[in-house]
Amino acid sequence: MTTPTHVVSAGADLFADAVAEQAVAVSRVDWRPPMAGTESDLAAVAGDPLRRDANERALAAMLGVTAHLVDVAPASEVLGLEEGQFLHAGPPIAWDRASGPLRGALMGGAALEGLVEDPEDAVALFEQGTAVSLEPCHHRRAVGPMAGVVTPSMWMFVLEDLATGARTHCSLNEGLGKVLRYGAYGPEVLTRLRWMREVLGPLLQRAVRATVGSSGPVDVTGILTQMLQMGDEAHNRNRAGTLMLLRDLAPAMVTSGADATFPGSDVADALRFIGGNDHFFLNLAMPACKLALDAARGIEGSTMVVAMARNGTDFGIQVAGTGDEWFTGPAQLADGLFLGDYGPDDANPDIGDSAITETAGIGGFAMATAPAIVRLVGGSVPDALATTRRMHEITLGENPRWSVPVLEFQGVPSGIDVSRVCRTGILPQINTGMAGKQAGVGQVGAGLVTPPAEIFPQALAALAARARGRR
Amino acid sequence: MTTPTHVVSAGADLFADAVAEQAVAVSRVDWRPPMAGTESDLAAVAGDPLRRDANERALAAMLGVTAHLVDVAPASEVLGLEEGQFLHAGPPIAWDRASGPLRGALMGGAALEGLVEDPEDAVALFEQGTAVSLEPCHHRRAVGPMAGVVTPSMWMFVLEDLATGARTHCSLNEGLGKVLRYGAYGPEVLTRLRWMREVLGPLLQRAVRATVGSSGPVDVTGILTQMLQMGDEAHNRNRAGTLMLLRDLAPAMVTSGADATFPGSDVADALRFIGGNDHFFLNLAMPACKLALDAARGIEGSTMVVAMARNGTDFGIQVAGTGDEWFTGPAQLADGLFLGDYGPDDANPDIGDSAITETAGIGGFAMATAPAIVRLVGGSVPDALATTRRMHEITLGENPRWSVPVLEFQGVPSGIDVSRVCRTGILPQINTGMAGKQAGVGQVGAGLVTPPAEIFPQALAALAARARGRR
């Protein structure tokens, strides 16, 4: 018997360790068995003749979209939202199963719309359910961070793929702390939302329209490219992105803003509000990601995830090859860092449409480019680098426009592949804010979270059924 | 004879390689002999009883300074600069030895001041030398990027250490391409400088004074802290810094700017000019570094470098323990990337006071935090990481305020130690823009450069002489 000079060890470390102890060179290959019960569906999907081409088309469609900021306008106008209609983050849900932060945001939204005077009175309104209705943002070409509640009078960013005219939408970011999207609905929350409605929204509309008419609409995808070179991963760090947006809109805010209706002090307040909120750009990053992913919807045979979204109770995904079907499981609790005296017992499970950023390859998938994020969401710098590398194992490709300098300009891992997730057991890594589980509390922390594992075998089963049906 | 189980190898790889081939574990220690002829001076300085404490004080003094932007005002007012007086970058130099870009900038400066109509006519003025005089910026509590030419009517940023009232100054950044600091002096250069004098300077003065009176002066050191988490090394990348300055000044520019003298369109132009020039903040980073380093001047026994500066002909350093003496040698050519059709033959040797950033631990010393910089100055991402690690070998300590996320938040290497440079032979790494060697050309590229090695043994000899004299 000859001694091997080199051993390749796949999977568990036990064998590799034993070999290494015998002074034989060993290359460790990270391998895990597929998720339980997925073998037959994996085989069916692997054998689907449409799959390879469909996935190439889905990835190319996503990577081909450039999002521009073409307008800012009320949700009633651009989404056709009518009195009593409320949008929310995540897959569909009714009031009876809604989490605390979603309930709190809906209550505040009802007060903002004048349906009730006191937000607490809105509980009866939603329990009765005749004068109000709930619908996911995603069903109206929109996304919303955290609770993601959108009401008719809220102003929305309007993003467009100029090549196709496709559009997506997102509300204006309120800042941090006690804010509606984290489920707070106190007087300071409503006062801020009213100022955003009466002053910020109209000023932004003027500035955006003036910019569109002069230098052209702001290239949101281009700002994302720059942000990734500036320490932002565009989910929980949007500092550079916010500053670039401010840079691009400030001149038009000065020339188109100040007049008889809005004095210079209003313009200055608006500049201060945007500049004082490092997360302001998140509400442009999210619809830019949705715009890209929407281009990949409805491609038969594609196993690429086109949406990950949470309503605070359920985590749902949609897949390019399975139409508008949601595959859902229980939203998980994030592991992370807490604000002030808050702790794990205060946190609501994962909530928000913001995981659309990870679905598009940024956020948790781009943590390597934003090592400072670990101070907010926990973990270590080596973890952040390893996370981006690990996500390449479950994605279809890289995004050449969105590169990570410290990984020698490698593109971010893009296009989550349901098959690869099931085959490796590696779950998408999301970084996220944490809302208090009681309505009215607001933000309690930030951390790292994954989807519930079972939704990927669910989606795989649906893909396999379609593949078998097509034979 | 027993076989060693572990060998520590210092210096050349030959021995280590031989040991490794015999399957013995080897730890390699990077060691090089001291610079030639420095042994005796190194011993004298090492034995100086003042040295350890003096260096601790010098480093602490530098790290203790916080720079705030307290005013913007003409050089005639804040530096007492009179007609015919010109400041320039680097150690002292006269017209006859001045490089092309310095000559070009002086010629343009003379035209800006109305001493001549046509910049070409200024050659005679400087050759004659009776109506004009040259002096280093550093001799007037100022710094200037590239040629660093300052004339009486140019507006200066005024930075102050609020704890001591100490101040430093720098002109306003003109942008890239055909600009005075790179030696260009064409009509477009002078037109821009006149607009900066008539519009930008006064608007910035109003905004800075309004900010000082309301929210307090802008914390330039604090912005530098943030920049280092946002991919800027604050010498050749100042993108995030510029955006943060814009954020901090824009509201006051709106409220204090627009009036009968300056219409809103002037304010918008100023916002566009700042936002359109990623290097605008360099002219605040530099005087902030000088303010910190000036606090360490004149500490007997300290071997810490307090200035590195180049005039395009000579590279000079000043050291905490040797007063205002300059130690100079020939400025080197940078190795880097060229714009358009320019090549190495077009480049002037190293020029500018901007190496004050490296002297303070950022710029080339902080390249690890700005991996995208390699696309501008050349080299690879691993080189950038290695450079910051290597600079720790020649510095007295780290700056806890200025940390590098990707190096697990290690502080930047701070306080260049003449002794360590001579003992290791490792030269400070500077990244820099490259000016065309012909007056009038402008920028031709950007790259990496070091000081001429011989200036460190020169400084060491002066330190040793003082130490011996004190015995």
Side-chain angles (χ1 to χ4, degrees), chain A residues 182-417:
Chain A
Y182 277 97
Y185 53 75
E188 77 277 31
V189 176
L190 291 170
T191 300
R192 190 190 305 109
L193 286 171
R194 288 188 188 109
W195 174 82
M196 291 170 69
R197 181 169 65 188
E198 309 306 330
V199 179
L200 182 65
L203 280 177
L204 281 173
Q205 181 181 68
R206 289 179 182 203
V208 167
R209 290 182 176 180
T211 305
V212 169
S214 56
S215 50
V218 173
D219 178 354
V220 176
T221 304
I223 290 181
L224 283 161
T225 300
Q226 294 299 322
M227 288 166 71
L228 295 171
Q229 319 247 321
M230 297 173 74
D232 283 354
E233 38 65 83
H235 184 172
N236 278 286
R237 262 185 88 100
N238 283 282
R239 187 169 284 189
T242 298
L243 292 168
M244 284 185 274
L245 178 71
L246 192 68
R247 171 197 68 193
D248 289 351
L249 293 183
M253 286 179 77
V254 174
T255 50
S256 72
D259 62 8
T261 316
F262 298 106
S265 61
D266 277 346
V267 175
D269 285 346
L271 292 171
R272 251 181 236 111
F273 181 81
I274 298 170
N277 171 11
D278 285 343
H279 292 262
F280 196 77
F281 191 82
L282 172 62
N283 294 37
L284 284 164
M286 287 173 53
C289 290
K290 177 170 174 63
L291 194 61
L293 288 155
D294 276 2
R297 283 177 180 263
I299 298 180
E300 187 66 30
S302 171
T303 58
M304 192 177 101
V305 177
V306 294
M308 298 197 291
R310 318 87 99 193
N311 56 35
T313 304
D314 312 307
F315 191 119
I317 58 170
Q318 294 177 306
V319 180
T322 54
D324 290 332
E325 190 175 353
W326 288 98
F327 305 97
T328 62
Q332 309 291 299
L333 282 165
D335 179 19
L337 304 176
F338 291 87
L339 302 175
D341 292 334
Y342 292 119
D345 291 345
D346 301 307
N348 194 76
D350 200 17
I351 184 168
D353 286 333
S354 55
I356 196 76
T357 58
E358 280 84 7
T359 321
I362 51 181
F365 281 46
M367 281 181 65
T369 209
I373 194 83
V374 302
R375 290 273 166 97
L376 177 74
V377 300
S380 71
V381 172
D383 290 345
L385 294 166
T387 296
T388 295
R389 291 199 179 100
R390 192 168 71 249
M391 292 303 103
H392 282 286
E393 296 187 44
I394 57 168
T395 43
L396 293 169
E398 298 173 8
N399 187 334
R401 276 204 285 206
W402 291 348
S403 72
V404 178
V406 80
L407 298 184
E408 301 193 56
F409 300 96
Q410 184 180 26
V412 296
S414 302
I416 300 168
D417 180 0

Side-chain angles (χ1 to χ4, degrees), chain B residues 393-439:
Chain B
E393 296 187 42
I394 57 168
T395 44
L396 294 169
E398 298 173 8
N399 187 333
R401 277 203 285 204
W402 291 348
S403 72
V404 178
V406 79
L407 298 183
E408 300 193 55
F409 299 97
Q410 184 180 25
V412 295
S414 301
I416 300 167
D417 179 0
V418 170
S419 293
R420 281 171 219 239
V421 172
C422 292
R423 210 166 62 212
T424 62
I426 296 172
L427 293 171
Q429 181 66 68
I430 297 162
N431 67 43
T432 187
M434 279 188 264
K437 69 183 174 189
Q438 301 299 329

Side-chain angles (χ1 to χ4, degrees), chain B residues 26 38 54 106 124 133 149 157 210 223 253 276-277 294 315-316 319 341 346 375 402 433 450 457 459:
Chain B
V26 56
T38 59
L106 289 166
S133 64
V149 165
F157 288 122
I223 290 181
M253 285 179 77
N277 171 11
D294 277 2
F315 191 119
V319 179
D341 293 333
D346 302 308
R375 290 273 166 98
W402 291 348
T450 60

